[in-house]
Amino acid sequence: MSNQAINSDSILRQIKARLSLRAPQAESLNILDFLRKNLPLTKDADPAAALATIGGTYSAVTDFERDFPSLCFALATGVGKTRLMGAFISYLFMAGKSRHFFVLAPNTTIYEKLIGDFTPGNEKYVFKGIAEVALAAPVIITGETWDKSGLMLDSAERNNGMVVNIFNVDKINKDGGRIKKLHEYIGQSYFDYLAELPDLVLLMDEAHRYRGKAGWKAVGELHPILGLELTATPRSVGARGERFKNVIFDYSLGQAMADGFVKEPAVATRENFRADSVTEDMLQRIKLEDGIHCHEFVKAELEIYAQQTGRKRVHPFMLVVAQDTTHAEEVRQIIEADDFFGGRYKGRVIRVDSGTTAEDADEATARLLALEDSTDTDIVIHVNKLKEGWDVRNLYTIVPLKAFASEILTEQTLGRGLR
């Protein structure tokens, strides 16, 4: 690369300060510094030799689980995985190790969120304050713009600039496979162009989603020099999920709560209450009513806090976890009925699941995106739709009306309310 790498200690200090990295993020960046200094990170590098080198310092890493060096950084929800992603990219670019990055998202929601986070001017812009990156005018190429990327790539090559590709798995494996077909401007398919880059670094958001066949194949064929995996739940999906063998840093939800990076949860209970003394329908209504009481208490406390401090008023909402789409609709009808708190919540409920119509889903999505600033919604009902990639800070009450099938689902749902 023509970029002149400056002292890595200076780079680390600058990035940590400018991005205001928290301790677990800073330690993760230190580990990346170790990897850059101790691994060859080239296309022809021997993964077995790299694994032996890493294992000598980080004994928990026993297998990359890929055909290339790939390490998992497990950070609890709410600690800041996306910001860490920006720090990783900034470090490798400023250290002169790579200009080309591929950020992989597991679904459309996270994909669109990442595009926003990598867009200058966004409130959560991942390179905010990093002058070296701003001056290089990073080129962002997405699943919608890759086939028009010729001139953008030319500009990046002339200026030795950074190129960040943001895709989700479907943009590679589906969409007619267009990314693997001939791109006339570059003389080969865009996928082959990426796979041949000598410095491509792959970053995988919600890394637990890439153990399936489709995700695994998409990742492997890119042949990156390094994989950086980020997840809050470093286990394969399912009731018997197995822990990853390539976790190089693990910062749990319990540690995040102890260190004050996320809210501490409390379980609301009734004194001397026996669940077997009532019917299932009655128990469900009791849970919903108790949830509403907690929700209204929090709302009142936040209102008082805003008045006393002069700070912006926070409008809280309650998350209800339903069993399936039919149950979700039943719960919505209960909450919006006239005999439920006098019909106070009619029109103030969002239902998000695979059973909603396209029109309703669009409206629900718009309301979800506005949740932190709008006062129009009090309750969100979902069925495994908001497990990950949905970042809000005003969720205070969770009412689970189903038993969680796995530890991953439990932690993901709980994590929605701890930011």
Side-chain angles (χ1 to χ4, degrees):
M1 293 182 63
S2 58
N3 272 32
Q4 293 297 313
I6 58 176
N7 181 277
S8 65
D9 290 338
S10 175
I11 295 173
L12 290 171
R13 285 195 301 271
Q14 290 180 51
I15 294 175
K16 290 174 186 178
R18 294 176 188 176
L19 293 181
S20 301
L21 296 188
R22 294 167 166 173
Q25 296 168 320
E27 180 55 31
S28 297
L29 194 61
N30 289 338
I31 293 172
L32 180 59
D33 182 59
F34 168 86
L35 298 175
R36 185 189 69 82
K37 290 176 177 176
N38 291 278
L39 301 183
L41 298 182
T42 58
K43 287 281 192 183
D44 57 355
D46 180 8
L51 184 63
T53 298
I54 293 171
T57 302
Y58 300 96
S59 58
V61 180
T62 59
D63 192 336
F64 290 139
E65 303 190 63
R66 316 277 185 189
D67 295 329
F68 53 88
S70 188
L71 287 309
C72 178
F73 294 80
L75 272 74
T77 297
V79 173
K81 292 186 290 296
T82 307
R83 176 165 294 194
L84 178 58
M85 201 180 296
F88 280 165
I89 293 174
S90 298
Y91 171 82
L92 292 170
F93 178 73
M94 292 169 65
K97 187 60 191 176
S98 178
R99 292 195 299 108
H100 299 94
F101 303 90
F102 194 98
V103 179
L104 190 61
N107 58 38
T108 301
T109 301
I110 298 175
Y111 167 69
E112 293 175 349
K113 171 186 172 295
L114 285 171
I115 292 175
D117 290 342
F118 277 84
T119 301
N122 187 290
E123 180 187 357
K124 298 179 181 179
Y125 183 50
V126 296
F127 301 128
K128 189 179 295 184
I130 308 294
E132 291 80 357
V133 173
L135 291 172
V139 171
I140 307 299
I141 295 174
T142 72
E144 283 74 40
T145 64
W146 65 267
D147 57 347
K148 307 176 185 67
S149 61
L151 294 176
M152 291 189 290
L153 290 172
D154 281 350
S155 175
E157 296 303 321
R158 286 195 302 271
N159 299 316
N160 291 316
M162 177 196 297
V163 180
V164 180
N165 295 272
I166 305 176
F167 282 72
N168 63 12
V169 174
D170 280 354
K171 295 293 182 182
I172 299 174
N173 290 334
K174 298 180 182 179
D175 199 21
R178 292 174 55 244
I179 192 174
K180 295 184 178 181
K181 296 180 181 179
L182 179 66
H183 187 301
E184 294 182 1
Y185 191 93
I186 59 177
Q188 60 185 149
S189 75
Y190 191 68
F191 190 89
D192 288 342
Y193 160 76
L194 291 171
E196 291 177 7
L197 288 170
D199 63 341
L200 185 68
V201 173
L202 175 64
L203 295 98
M204 291 166 265
D205 196 11
E206 305 294 352
H208 57 279
R209 299 287 295 274
Y210 307 110
R211 259 52 182 183
K213 290 183 179 179
W216 193 285
K217 188 171 184 290
V219 165
E221 290 180 347
L222 283 169
H223 304 300
I225 62 172
L226 177 65
L228 300 171
E229 308 181 21
L230 295 104
T231 180
T233 49
R235 295 176 295 280
S236 55
V237 176
R240 298 182 180 179
E242 296 183 2
R243 183 174 173 81
F244 295 172
K245 299 175 182 178
N246 63 341
V247 179
I248 198 167
F249 182 72
D250 192 357
Y251 187 77
S252 70
L253 189 58
Q255 290 173 286
M257 286 189 284
D259 292 339
F261 293 137
V262 296
K263 299 193 287 278
E264 289 193 32
V267 179
T269 61
R270 288 191 178 190
E271 188 175 3
N272 299 323
F273 177 75
R274 289 181 52 190
D276 59 5
S277 67
V278 298
T279 66
E280 285 295 322
D281 287 345
M282 290 176 63
L283 180 61
Q284 173 175 276
R285 190 175 183 96
I286 288 171
K287 287 182 178 181
L288 290 171
E289 290 176 348
D290 286 355
I292 290 294
H293 287 304
C294 290
H295 169 67
E296 291 297 339
F297 172 79
V298 169
K299 187 188 293 188
E301 289 293 304
L302 289 170
E303 179 67 37
I304 293 170
Y305 179 77
Q307 291 175 0
Q308 292 178 341
T309 63
R311 295 190 177 185
K312 179 181 177 181
R313 177 173 172 265
V314 174
H315 177 74
F317 72 96
M318 182 174 91
L319 180 68
V320 179
V321 186
Q323 298 169 9
D324 52 39
T325 56
T326 301
H327 183 227
E329 177 57 20
E330 291 173 355
V331 171
R332 185 194 66 77
Q333 292 181 15
I334 291 172
I335 294 173
E336 293 196 328
D338 291 336
D339 64 348
F340 189 83
F341 289 88
R344 185 190 308 174
Y345 299 99
K346 188 172 295 185
R348 302 189 64 79
V349 180
I350 301 175
R351 192 189 120 202
V352 186
D353 57 63
S354 59
T356 52
T357 65
E359 183 178 347
D360 288 343
D362 289 343
E363 179 186 350
T365 300
R367 289 177 67 181
L368 279 173
L369 294 174
L371 269 177
E372 282 191 333
D373 300 310
S374 173
T375 60
D376 294 336
T377 300
D378 276 289
I379 299 165
V380 174
I381 304 171
H382 86 107
V383 183
N384 294 350
K385 270 285 194 176
L386 305 174
K387 299 178 294 183
E388 58 206 9
W390 182 54
D391 300 339
V392 290
R393 291 166 289 185
N394 56 329
L395 170 57
Y396 285 83
T397 307
I398 299 175
V399 180
L401 298 180
K402 65 174 287 184
F404 295 123
S406 68
E407 186 177 344
I408 285 182
L409 186 54
T410 302
E411 187 166 330
Q412 287 174 338
T413 303
L414 184 61
R416 295 307 103 207
L418 297 184
R419 292 180 182 276

